[in-house]
Amino acid sequence: MKIVKPDLNPILTFKVFLRNLKVFGKTWKANLMFNFLEPLLYLWAMGFGLGVYITQINGLSYLDFLAPGLIASSAMFAVTYEMTYNSYTRMSQEKIFHSMVVTPVSMDDIVLGEILYGTFKGVLYGAVFFIVVALFGIVHSPYALLIFVPLILMSVIFSNLSLIWTSLAPNYDSFGYFFTLLISPMFLFAGIFFPIESLPTVIRFLPWLTPLYHAVETVRPLVLGQVTPAITGHIIWLLAVTLLTLPFPLVMVKKKLIQ
């Protein structure tokens, strides 16, 4: 893949973000409830249901172990749904990208505006679920306010990965593979429901390759007040992958529009 200098104008990029934000302002209640209800049900069913039968995990009650991970997963699902189904609709069905590109807005402005919007939605949904977790009395440290650092980085990564898939998707049905083969396994095996040390040794390295695992391993100690130097390593991983993946959607979405 040939990478050239992006044609970016910060003001126009922000206007693309504002355009999507205005649309969200008309449907935010339904959108927020859809992405908010599922992790809340997991919190009730697993934390208060299954949690009754689990004494402790790594010295934590199961509810304390589970809830911070659901903050990260709530952000992940918000980003991936927005940057797949909704971005595909704007790109291929409504032809909004095509309409924008005949104005002074460049293709790079459009893609970066999409990434900015996807990141906003991820952080927003993570923040809303964080408030719920706080209301349950699970937040034990003022360090919890720093969770927005890993949430922002993780949301950018998932915006990038989702737009890469969207640029390759021939139709809506293809997103089923993205969620079944990539997103759902991350959700189940990234350390939200159980420590990855419980996994067989030969596959224990796999969660380390996922953005969700590093976000969970950062959010959990911040929320619970168990901050250690290991957090720095997870933040560095997230930052490095953010920078590594960012050029790909800029090139691949543009290529899809040209085709």
Side-chain angles (χ1 to χ4, degrees), residues 60 64 68 130 138-145 147 218-228 231:
L60 302 172
D64 282 351
F130 169 72
I138 302 172
V139 176
H140 302 311
S141 169
Y143 285 119
L145 296 176
I147 67 168
T218 307
V219 170
R220 182 177 287 131
L222 289 173
V223 169
L224 302 179
Q226 299 180 345
V227 179
T228 68
I231 289 179

mmCIF file of all heavy atoms in Angstrom, residues 60 64 68 130 138-145 147 218-228 231:
data_model
loop_
_atom_site.group_PDB
_atom_site.id
_atom_site.type_symbol
_atom_site.label_atom_id
_atom_site.label_comp_id
_atom_site.label_asym_id
_atom_site.label_seq_id
_atom_site.Cartn_x
_atom_site.Cartn_y
_atom_site.Cartn_z
ATOM 1 N N LEU A 60 -10.552 -9.822 43.999
ATOM 2 C CA LEU A 60 -11.666 -8.910 43.752
ATOM 3 C C LEU A 60 -12.981 -9.667 43.749
ATOM 4 O O LEU A 60 -13.029 -10.844 43.372
ATOM 5 C CB LEU A 60 -11.503 -8.216 42.398
ATOM 6 C CG LEU A 60 -10.231 -7.408 42.166
ATOM 7 C CD1 LEU A 60 -10.159 -6.976 40.704
ATOM 8 C CD2 LEU A 60 -10.187 -6.187 43.080
ATOM 9 N N ASP A 64 -16.674 -6.349 40.928
ATOM 10 C CA ASP A 64 -15.564 -5.409 40.766
ATOM 11 C C ASP A 64 -14.670 -5.800 39.590
ATOM 12 O O ASP A 64 -14.142 -4.930 38.889
ATOM 13 C CB ASP A 64 -14.725 -5.346 42.044
ATOM 14 C CG ASP A 64 -15.373 -4.496 43.119
ATOM 15 O OD1 ASP A 64 -16.379 -3.820 42.818
ATOM 16 O OD2 ASP A 64 -14.884 -4.507 44.262
ATOM 17 N N PRO A 68 -15.441 -2.886 35.273
ATOM 18 C CA PRO A 68 -14.529 -2.040 34.490
ATOM 19 C C PRO A 68 -14.314 -2.537 33.062
ATOM 20 O O PRO A 68 -14.167 -1.739 32.136
ATOM 21 C CB PRO A 68 -13.227 -2.086 35.304
ATOM 22 C CG PRO A 68 -13.656 -2.400 36.699
ATOM 23 C CD PRO A 68 -14.810 -3.342 36.530
ATOM 24 N N PHE A 130 -19.585 4.206 32.536
ATOM 25 C CA PHE A 130 -18.773 4.512 33.706
ATOM 26 C C PHE A 130 -19.627 5.154 34.803
ATOM 27 O O PHE A 130 -19.473 4.845 35.991
ATOM 28 C CB PHE A 130 -17.631 5.444 33.318
ATOM 29 C CG PHE A 130 -16.891 6.037 34.481
ATOM 30 C CD1 PHE A 130 -16.042 5.262 35.252
ATOM 31 C CD2 PHE A 130 -17.046 7.375 34.812
ATOM 32 C CE1 PHE A 130 -15.361 5.801 36.340
ATOM 33 C CE2 PHE A 130 -16.374 7.922 35.882
ATOM 34 C CZ PHE A 130 -15.525 7.136 36.654
ATOM 35 N N ILE A 138 -18.886 0.932 42.406
ATOM 36 C CA ILE A 138 -17.748 0.096 42.027
ATOM 37 C C ILE A 138 -16.496 0.933 41.790
ATOM 38 O O ILE A 138 -15.387 0.407 41.762
ATOM 39 C CB ILE A 138 -18.114 -0.745 40.787
ATOM 40 C CG1 ILE A 138 -19.336 -1.609 41.095
ATOM 41 C CG2 ILE A 138 -16.974 -1.635 40.342
ATOM 42 C CD1 ILE A 138 -19.903 -2.329 39.896
ATOM 43 N N VAL A 139 -16.634 2.234 41.617
ATOM 44 C CA VAL A 139 -15.473 3.108 41.415
ATOM 45 C C VAL A 139 -14.834 3.394 42.767
ATOM 46 O O VAL A 139 -15.469 3.951 43.659
ATOM 47 C CB VAL A 139 -15.887 4.421 40.728
ATOM 48 C CG1 VAL A 139 -14.682 5.350 40.616
ATOM 49 C CG2 VAL A 139 -16.482 4.138 39.358
ATOM 50 N N HIS A 140 -13.570 3.016 42.917
ATOM 51 C CA HIS A 140 -12.901 3.100 44.210
ATOM 52 C C HIS A 140 -11.724 4.074 44.244
ATOM 53 O O HIS A 140 -10.991 4.107 45.235
ATOM 54 C CB HIS A 140 -12.392 1.712 44.619
ATOM 55 C CG HIS A 140 -13.467 0.675 44.688
ATOM 56 N ND1 HIS A 140 -14.649 0.863 45.362
ATOM 57 C CD2 HIS A 140 -13.537 -0.580 44.158
ATOM 58 C CE1 HIS A 140 -15.413 -0.223 45.255
ATOM 59 N NE2 HIS A 140 -14.751 -1.106 44.516
ATOM 60 N N SER A 141 -11.539 4.853 43.186
ATOM 61 C CA SER A 141 -10.357 5.712 43.157
ATOM 62 C C SER A 141 -10.585 6.909 42.246
ATOM 63 O O SER A 141 -11.240 6.776 41.195
ATOM 64 C CB SER A 141 -9.141 4.920 42.661
ATOM 65 O OG SER A 141 -8.051 5.777 42.391
ATOM 66 N N PRO A 142 -10.050 8.077 42.593
ATOM 67 C CA PRO A 142 -10.120 9.227 41.677
ATOM 68 C C PRO A 142 -9.312 9.012 40.396
ATOM 69 O O PRO A 142 -9.518 9.716 39.409
ATOM 70 C CB PRO A 142 -9.538 10.383 42.514
ATOM 71 C CG PRO A 142 -8.734 9.723 43.586
ATOM 72 C CD PRO A 142 -9.421 8.431 43.884
ATOM 73 N N TYR A 143 -8.400 8.032 40.417
ATOM 74 C CA TYR A 143 -7.676 7.690 39.192
ATOM 75 C C TYR A 143 -8.629 7.242 38.083
ATOM 76 O O TYR A 143 -8.248 7.220 36.907
ATOM 77 C CB TYR A 143 -6.671 6.569 39.451
ATOM 78 C CG TYR A 143 -5.427 6.996 40.190
ATOM 79 C CD1 TYR A 143 -5.102 6.456 41.430
ATOM 80 C CD2 TYR A 143 -4.564 7.944 39.651
ATOM 81 C CE1 TYR A 143 -3.966 6.850 42.118
ATOM 82 C CE2 TYR A 143 -3.415 8.335 40.314
ATOM 83 C CZ TYR A 143 -3.120 7.792 41.556
ATOM 84 O OH TYR A 143 -2.000 8.184 42.227
ATOM 85 N N ALA A 144 -9.851 6.897 38.449
ATOM 86 C CA ALA A 144 -10.827 6.442 37.461
ATOM 87 C C ALA A 144 -11.079 7.495 36.387
ATOM 88 O O ALA A 144 -11.451 7.162 35.256
ATOM 89 C CB ALA A 144 -12.136 6.073 38.156
ATOM 90 N N LEU A 145 -10.892 8.760 36.727
ATOM 91 C CA LEU A 145 -11.104 9.822 35.744
ATOM 92 C C LEU A 145 -10.100 9.743 34.594
ATOM 93 O O LEU A 145 -10.309 10.357 33.542
ATOM 94 C CB LEU A 145 -11.016 11.186 36.424
ATOM 95 C CG LEU A 145 -12.103 11.474 37.479
ATOM 96 C CD1 LEU A 145 -11.849 12.815 38.140
ATOM 97 C CD2 LEU A 145 -13.487 11.430 36.852
ATOM 98 N N ILE A 147 -9.523 7.101 32.894
ATOM 99 C CA ILE A 147 -9.897 6.038 31.946
ATOM 100 C C ILE A 147 -10.128 6.570 30.541
ATOM 101 O O ILE A 147 -10.109 5.799 29.573
ATOM 102 C CB ILE A 147 -11.148 5.261 32.401
ATOM 103 C CG1 ILE A 147 -12.385 6.165 32.365
ATOM 104 C CG2 ILE A 147 -10.945 4.641 33.767
ATOM 105 C CD1 ILE A 147 -13.688 5.414 32.518
ATOM 106 N N THR A 218 -6.029 -1.539 31.495
ATOM 107 C CA THR A 218 -5.764 -0.174 31.954
ATOM 108 C C THR A 218 -6.942 0.387 32.736
ATOM 109 O O THR A 218 -6.775 0.996 33.794
ATOM 110 C CB THR A 218 -5.455 0.748 30.758
ATOM 111 O OG1 THR A 218 -4.402 0.177 29.974
ATOM 112 C CG2 THR A 218 -5.018 2.117 31.238
ATOM 113 N N VAL A 219 -8.139 0.176 32.215
ATOM 114 C CA VAL A 219 -9.339 0.720 32.862
ATOM 115 C C VAL A 219 -9.570 0.084 34.230
ATOM 116 O O VAL A 219 -9.888 0.793 35.204
ATOM 117 C CB VAL A 219 -10.579 0.526 31.959
ATOM 118 C CG1 VAL A 219 -11.861 0.865 32.725
ATOM 119 C CG2 VAL A 219 -10.462 1.373 30.703
ATOM 120 N N ARG A 220 -9.402 -1.227 34.333
ATOM 121 C CA ARG A 220 -9.708 -1.917 35.587
ATOM 122 C C ARG A 220 -8.891 -1.381 36.770
ATOM 123 O O ARG A 220 -9.478 -1.025 37.803
ATOM 124 C CB ARG A 220 -9.522 -3.434 35.414
ATOM 125 C CG ARG A 220 -9.880 -4.231 36.686
ATOM 126 C CD ARG A 220 -9.758 -5.717 36.437
ATOM 127 N NE ARG A 220 -10.836 -6.216 35.613
ATOM 128 C CZ ARG A 220 -10.673 -6.998 34.535
ATOM 129 N NH1 ARG A 220 -9.445 -7.343 34.150
ATOM 130 N NH2 ARG A 220 -11.728 -7.410 33.851
ATOM 131 N N PRO A 221 -7.564 -1.323 36.698
ATOM 132 C CA PRO A 221 -6.813 -0.800 37.853
ATOM 133 C C PRO A 221 -7.095 0.669 38.138
ATOM 134 O O PRO A 221 -7.041 1.097 39.294
ATOM 135 C CB PRO A 221 -5.353 -1.036 37.468
ATOM 136 C CG PRO A 221 -5.350 -1.216 36.003
ATOM 137 C CD PRO A 221 -6.660 -1.824 35.654
ATOM 138 N N LEU A 222 -7.398 1.456 37.096
ATOM 139 C CA LEU A 222 -7.721 2.860 37.342
ATOM 140 C C LEU A 222 -9.027 3.000 38.111
ATOM 141 O O LEU A 222 -9.140 3.804 39.042
ATOM 142 C CB LEU A 222 -7.809 3.616 36.004
ATOM 143 C CG LEU A 222 -6.486 3.856 35.264
ATOM 144 C CD1 LEU A 222 -6.751 4.463 33.894
ATOM 145 C CD2 LEU A 222 -5.559 4.752 36.068
ATOM 146 N N VAL A 223 -10.015 2.219 37.732
ATOM 147 C CA VAL A 223 -11.312 2.268 38.407
ATOM 148 C C VAL A 223 -11.215 1.759 39.838
ATOM 149 O O VAL A 223 -11.832 2.313 40.757
ATOM 150 C CB VAL A 223 -12.364 1.460 37.611
ATOM 151 C CG1 VAL A 223 -13.648 1.273 38.436
ATOM 152 C CG2 VAL A 223 -12.689 2.156 36.302
ATOM 153 N N LEU A 224 -10.413 0.734 40.035
ATOM 154 C CA LEU A 224 -10.337 0.088 41.352
ATOM 155 C C LEU A 224 -9.220 0.648 42.229
ATOM 156 O O LEU A 224 -9.070 0.220 43.381
ATOM 157 C CB LEU A 224 -10.146 -1.420 41.176
ATOM 158 C CG LEU A 224 -11.249 -2.125 40.373
ATOM 159 C CD1 LEU A 224 -10.933 -3.606 40.239
ATOM 160 C CD2 LEU A 224 -12.616 -1.939 41.027
ATOM 161 N N GLY A 225 -8.438 1.582 41.704
ATOM 162 C CA GLY A 225 -7.367 2.168 42.507
ATOM 163 C C GLY A 225 -6.191 1.249 42.725
ATOM 164 O O GLY A 225 -5.503 1.338 43.741
ATOM 165 N N GLN A 226 -5.933 0.351 41.753
ATOM 166 C CA GLN A 226 -4.810 -0.580 41.848
ATOM 167 C C GLN A 226 -3.782 -0.273 40.757
ATOM 168 O O GLN A 226 -3.379 -1.133 39.987
ATOM 169 C CB GLN A 226 -5.319 -2.014 41.732
ATOM 170 C CG GLN A 226 -6.308 -2.398 42.830
ATOM 171 C CD GLN A 226 -6.804 -3.820 42.698
ATOM 172 O OE1 GLN A 226 -6.642 -4.465 41.663
ATOM 173 N NE2 GLN A 226 -7.420 -4.329 43.747
ATOM 174 N N VAL A 227 -3.367 0.978 40.721
ATOM 175 C CA VAL A 227 -2.477 1.451 39.666
ATOM 176 C C VAL A 227 -1.071 0.887 39.851
ATOM 177 O O VAL A 227 -0.509 0.940 40.947
ATOM 178 C CB VAL A 227 -2.433 2.988 39.658
ATOM 179 C CG1 VAL A 227 -1.486 3.491 38.578
ATOM 180 C CG2 VAL A 227 -3.838 3.556 39.455
ATOM 181 N N THR A 228 -0.517 0.348 38.765
ATOM 182 C CA THR A 228 0.839 -0.196 38.767
ATOM 183 C C THR A 228 1.569 0.296 37.514
ATOM 184 O O THR A 228 0.937 0.779 36.566
ATOM 185 C CB THR A 228 0.823 -1.738 38.758
ATOM 186 O OG1 THR A 228 0.302 -2.189 37.495
ATOM 187 C CG2 THR A 228 -0.036 -2.285 39.903
ATOM 188 N N ILE A 231 0.514 -0.360 33.686
ATOM 189 C CA ILE A 231 -0.420 0.446 32.895
ATOM 190 C C ILE A 231 0.310 1.176 31.780
ATOM 191 O O ILE A 231 -0.206 1.313 30.662
ATOM 192 C CB ILE A 231 -1.169 1.434 33.819
ATOM 193 C CG1 ILE A 231 -2.154 0.692 34.710
ATOM 194 C CG2 ILE A 231 -1.891 2.502 33.001
ATOM 195 C CD1 ILE A 231 -2.909 1.600 35.659
#
